[in-house]
Amino acid sequence: RDEDIDYSVYGTPIESTTYKFAKCLKDRFGKIKGITDRDYITNSYHVPVFEEIDAFTKLKLESEFQRLSPGGAISYIETNYKSDLSLTEVANYVNLTTYHFSKLFKSTIGTSFINYINTLRIQKAQDMLLDTFMSVAEISENSGFSSTNNFFRVFKKITGMSPQQYRNTQVKNPKSKGNTVWKKIKFEI
């Protein structure tokens, strides 16, 4: 049956907030044609589902818009966390001045750029400590830290323990959440 509705293949929890945002914007700014004249906001830059397109072309087209979206910086950071990322590099990626990006990032995310990257890198390191048998030095390098000393300092600041203590604590406690190292050791013994 023909309907004047387009369907999406998937949805995300944030999409359910678009109706609330649309109402708030309409209440605050009134009805503006093409902006607040609908009961929803789209944050999507995806190719419509009815478009005949192969997966690689679709990804290439959509990737061009990522740097223009507010989430583009986060995606860029999460994709490139292993490299020596700078505030200026990410600001340039999303076409903002370093000053504006820094203020926008902190007000949107709730923490500074460097704290966000350090926390992300430590989370990746924690996964590697539990899911691999790599040395702490290898994990330091693979999680984006320029030096092992800096890795140890940041790890301890965020978790309250050294990387090795974290690994040992998790291995000794087989009921720890996501403890795959324990499972591997137990299986191999």
Side-chain angles (χ1 to χ4, degrees):
R1 176 177 99 153
D2 280 339
E3 298 171 349
D4 196 19
I5 300 172
D6 292 330
Y7 292 92
S8 175
V9 177
Y10 67 94
T12 62
I14 195 69
E15 289 173 350
S16 66
T17 64
T18 63
Y19 302 105
K20 181 178 181 177
F21 290 146
K23 182 181 180 329
C24 290
L25 289 173
K26 195 180 294 183
D27 291 346
R28 183 170 181 186
F29 300 107
K31 198 172 195 175
I32 302 169
K33 186 175 176 165
I35 299 172
T36 61
D37 58 347
R38 297 185 180 106
D39 291 327
Y40 63 91
I41 294 175
T42 181
N43 62 353
S44 180
Y45 50 82
H46 301 289
V47 174
V49 294
F50 53 81
E51 186 82 24
E52 290 189 29
I53 189 169
D54 68 88
F56 296 107
T57 305
K58 179 181 182 302
L59 288 170
K60 184 178 185 315
L61 285 171
E62 290 176 353
S63 71
E64 298 299 318
F65 294 97
Q66 185 177 32
R67 71 176 51 223
L68 302 174
S69 71
I74 299 299
S75 295
Y76 186 80
I77 292 166
E78 290 182 357
T79 303
N80 296 288
Y81 72 92
K82 290 181 182 182
S83 67
D84 187 22
L85 284 177
S86 70
L87 181 67
T88 302
E89 176 185 348
V90 181
N92 288 339
Y93 180 79
V94 293
N95 299 312
L96 294 173
T97 66
T98 303
Y99 174 79
H100 185 79
F101 175 70
S102 178
K103 291 190 75 68
L104 181 64
F105 191 90
K106 185 160 186 165
S107 68
T108 304
I109 304 301
T111 190
S112 71
F113 173 78
I114 195 68
N115 284 342
Y116 181 85
I117 289 179
N118 281 339
T119 301
L120 174 66
R121 287 174 172 162
I122 294 303
Q123 288 170 348
K124 299 294 185 181
Q126 286 175 310
D127 289 343
M128 286 185 262
L129 285 164
L130 298 182
D131 295 337
T132 73
F133 292 103
M134 289 193 300
S135 71
V136 173
E138 289 172 307
I139 290 172
S140 167
E141 184 179 330
N142 281 297
S143 56
F145 286 91
S146 56
S147 76
T148 305
N149 287 341
N150 187 39
F151 171 64
F152 273 90
R153 186 184 57 75
V154 173
F155 195 97
K156 185 154 187 147
K157 180 180 177 187
I158 290 176
T159 67
M161 61 181 77
S162 73
Q164 195 60 49
Q165 288 171 322
Y166 178 82
R167 180 179 263 171
N168 291 341
T169 301
Q170 299 302 309
V171 169
K172 289 179 182 173
N173 183 1
K175 294 181 182 173
S176 292
K177 182 181 170 195
N179 192 343
T180 54
V181 169
W182 175 261
K183 291 173 190 163
K184 289 176 188 172
I185 292 170
K186 190 175 181 182
F187 180 76
E188 291 176 1
I189 293 176

